[in-house]
Amino acid sequence: MPRLCLFICLLIAGVSCRPHVPRKVTPAFYYWKQTWTGNSEELRYLRGLSAGRLYIKLFDVSPDEVTKAPVPVAVLRQAAPWPAGVEIVPVIFLMNEVWAHADTTLASRVAKLTAQLCDSIPGDRIHEIQLDCDWTQTTREAYFSFLKQIRNTSFFRNRRISVTIRMYQMKYASRAGIPPANRGLLMCYNMGDLRKSGDHNSILDLVTLRSYIEEQRVAGYPLPLDIALPLFGWSVLFLPDNTYAGILRYVGEEELKDTLLFSKTTVSQYVVRKDTLLNGFLLRKGSTVRRETIDPSVLEAAAQMVAAQLQTTDPAVIFYHLDSVTLKKYPLNELQKVCRFFN
């Protein structure tokens, strides 16, 4: 048996003996691009997975470069009709830095812009609104106050409010606090150290995942939890001295196969053979690129580990994210199989 398969089997064995909890699972996708185009392949995956919801990021809230006041950026543009028969969940991403400056009008301004951007969506298709923030112990008071304020605005009132929960926020819940919301969305990715050099996967690692959810932390979290699983990958650049230098956008596996530019040294690492300009990035000789992707077998194992603890009877299982290029690596039947682990 290959080493990876044996390792996955051992991990699953430790969580497979749970009492069966009947669940009504809602398959779903995130949409995290800035323009909705109604791509035919993306719509095919929506239909094929019988996705009941589409979580669409409407805009980010970020500090203004000059005034430092929180302002909306990366506002979604709708270039095609929304898919029929799917519940739309608007998502607003709030950078943690916005809480450094008090702004008593932020909740009302965010609610107003959200309502404007949702004007083309029938109201009965929006039952939930999600707020995404990587809050910390020092910013939780400001963020939680914002959540209480926005729940009282006219557009948010009488709708379900969900918030994203990072792995460390769940593990250290006594320090991070529990957000005043109706539901939580547990992000089962970005759990490792992206900036640390070496042959590891910072998006999803089964040993790291297990360390976060051990002691029945998923089962014990006080909010009903939905689950988000990763389908994305990225290329991380390190300088010759192993200093983190950023994520290389538009540099994927095809570019890394160029043996004139790269020498593969480990399963996921490539060393730059000569100075070169690639897709707008200047790569120095001796730099290292770590390619991080999610193998379907790892995705399955992660789903089984989390499902073994999940107490929510009506969870959404959300794949991040709905992108035609990314989806080529994940056959539809594979995603259907992952969803069945939560039944």
Side-chain angles (χ1 to χ4, degrees), residues 63 68 95-102 139 142:
K68 305 304 179 183
M95 290 189 65
N96 193 39
E97 289 77 6
V98 303
W99 313 119
H101 296 80
T139 60

Side-chain angles (χ1 to χ4, degrees), residues 17-191:
C17 299
R18 66 173 175 88
H20 180 68
V21 179
R23 301 190 185 113
K24 182 181 179 182
V25 178
T26 299
F29 283 100
Y30 271 113
Y31 188 80
W32 217 255
K33 293 185 282 189
Q34 203 166 328
T35 302
W36 170 257
T37 62
N39 177 283
S40 59
E41 183 66 3
E42 293 166 1
L43 291 174
R44 184 179 76 84
Y45 265 76
L46 268 179
R47 292 190 296 267
L49 195 63
S50 298
R53 292 181 202 153
L54 182 59
Y55 291 70
I56 298 177
K57 183 176 76 72
L58 296 185
F59 58 93
D60 301 346
V61 179
S62 173
D64 181 83
E65 292 184 3
V66 177
T67 67
K68 305 304 179 183
V71 293
V73 296
V75 178
L76 179 76
R77 187 175 72 89
Q78 183 184 352
W82 299 119
V86 179
E87 180 185 337
I88 302 296
V89 180
V91 181
I92 298 95
F93 174 74
L94 301 115
M95 290 189 65
N96 193 39
E97 289 77 6
V98 303
W99 313 119
H101 296 80
D103 188 332
T104 57
T105 67
L106 181 59
S108 60
R109 290 191 290 116
V110 167
K112 182 178 180 180
L113 180 55
T114 303
Q116 291 173 350
L117 294 173
C118 293
D119 185 60
S120 64
I121 307 172
D124 60 359
R125 291 184 65 186
I126 303 176
H127 303 291
E128 174 183 340
I129 306 171
Q130 186 171 101
L131 297 161
D132 179 9
C133 180
D134 188 5
W135 86 92
T136 62
Q137 185 177 358
T138 57
T139 60
R140 74 175 189 180
E141 183 177 347
Y143 175 49
F144 289 6
S145 176
F146 166 85
L147 290 175
K148 293 174 183 176
Q149 292 173 42
I150 205 166
R151 293 184 72 174
N152 289 321
T153 61
S154 58
F155 189 75
F156 281 69
R157 192 182 301 123
N158 301 322
R159 287 191 165 103
R160 184 171 63 244
I161 307 301
S162 64
V163 292
T164 52
I165 310 292
R166 272 74 177 171
M167 282 288 168
Y168 79 91
Q169 292 164 343
M170 181 188 65
K171 181 174 181 177
Y172 304 107
S174 60
R175 278 183 265 167
I178 307 301
N182 300 108
R183 296 178 78 91
L185 183 281
L186 183 61
M187 295 172 55
C188 299
Y189 49 87
N190 293 1
M191 60 187 67

Side-chain angles (χ1 to χ4, degrees), residues 16-23 307-308 310-311 340-343:
S16 60
C17 299
R18 66 173 175 88
H20 180 68
V21 179
R23 301 190 185 113
L310 191 64
Q311 299 297 308
R340 285 196 294 270
F341 290 135
F342 290 89
N343 287 329

